[in-house]
Amino acid sequence: MPTFAQALNSQVGYEFAASQQYIAIATYYDAQTLPQLAAHFYRQAVEERNHAMMMVQYLLDADLQVAIPGVSAPRTEFADIVEPVQLALDQEKRVTAQIAELVRGARDEGDFVGEQFLHWFLQEQREEVSSMSALLQVAERSRDNVMLIEDYLARESSGAANPLEAGAPPAAGGVL
Ligand SMILES: [Fe+2]
Ligand SMILES: [Fe+2]
């Protein structure tokens, strides 16, 4: 059983791996001149990088050892425009389970400060699974007319900022 600190270091790697995967998805769309899909996933990649750096800041603040892990290669080839969104939703669901497991680890160690740190990530995962499953529905509807999803993103991604951002934990080196 890894300690909570070890498990959190591993999660830093999973967040960076998610970031790399989103860059791979963004460039797949960018190469097909689908700028809204590309922009959406470039932005997601930055968010995942920020999640990793929030965890790094927590490890520093809690005086725990920080060991930045490597990441495995992302998938870069996809059958159609829907497949990357399905992959992204699967990834978000997997991360939700990982964060839940971290909460369990913190609680088992009686580390309530660590557990409280993770609560923001639970909320963030609820939001990300919800928005990615909405995007998957739109992607499936747009299989034969990709401009439907481009128009959807142009409409939906302008305007209101994610209210969760206001309460986000600080990131090492500053949030991007
Ligand atoms: Fe994340
Ligand atoms: Fe995410």
Side-chain angles (χ1 to χ4, degrees):
M1 262 292 275
T3 64
F4 173 62
Q6 287 165 340
L8 194 54
N9 271 288
S10 298
Q11 191 65 36
V12 169
Y14 303 147
E15 299 292 335
F16 278 127
S19 182
Q20 292 281 92
Q21 184 61 70
Y22 285 155
I23 291 172
I25 290 172
T27 52
Y28 165 81
Y29 288 130
D30 215 353
Q32 297 186 51
T33 317
L34 295 166
Q36 296 292 335
L37 277 162
H40 182 76
F41 282 97
Y42 284 130
R43 185 63 227 161
Q44 296 299 313
V46 172
E47 281 189 19
E48 299 303 346
R49 175 266 178 209
N50 287 338
H51 294 166
M53 297 308 278
M54 289 169 193
M55 291 170 182
V56 170
Q57 184 64 57
Y58 177 81
L59 289 163
L60 291 167
D61 287 344
D63 208 14
L64 296 167
Q65 202 193 338
V66 192
I68 303 298
V71 302
S72 52
R75 261 191 64 193
T76 56
E77 284 174 39
F78 304 99
D80 57 26
I81 64 127
V82 178
E83 207 180 12
V85 185
Q86 180 68 63
L87 181 76
L89 178 58
D90 294 345
Q91 175 170 283
E92 291 301 340
K93 287 182 174 171
R94 191 167 61 245
V95 171
T96 300
Q98 288 164 347
I99 301 285
E101 205 44 51
L102 282 167
V103 171
R104 195 189 314 280
R107 192 174 293 183
D108 286 350
E109 291 184 17
D111 183 353
F112 300 115
V113 176
E115 181 181 338
Q116 190 277 338
F117 163 72
L118 292 166
H119 285 168
W120 181 84
F121 288 89
L122 291 174
Q123 287 181 294
E124 175 74 3
Q125 284 311 118
R126 182 184 68 195
E127 192 278 322
E128 292 198 340
V129 168
S130 161
S131 60
M132 203 60 80
S133 69
L135 190 64
L136 180 59
Q137 281 196 322
V138 180
E140 277 166 350
R141 246 181 265 143
S142 311
R143 246 180 230 283
D144 301 319
N145 180 6
V146 75
M147 292 321 288
L148 287 178
I149 192 168
E150 284 284 287
D151 290 346
Y152 168 83
L153 283 171
R155 257 194 336 269
E156 298 296 317
S157 57
S158 60
N162 177 0
L164 280 176
E165 268 168 36
V175 82
L176 294 186

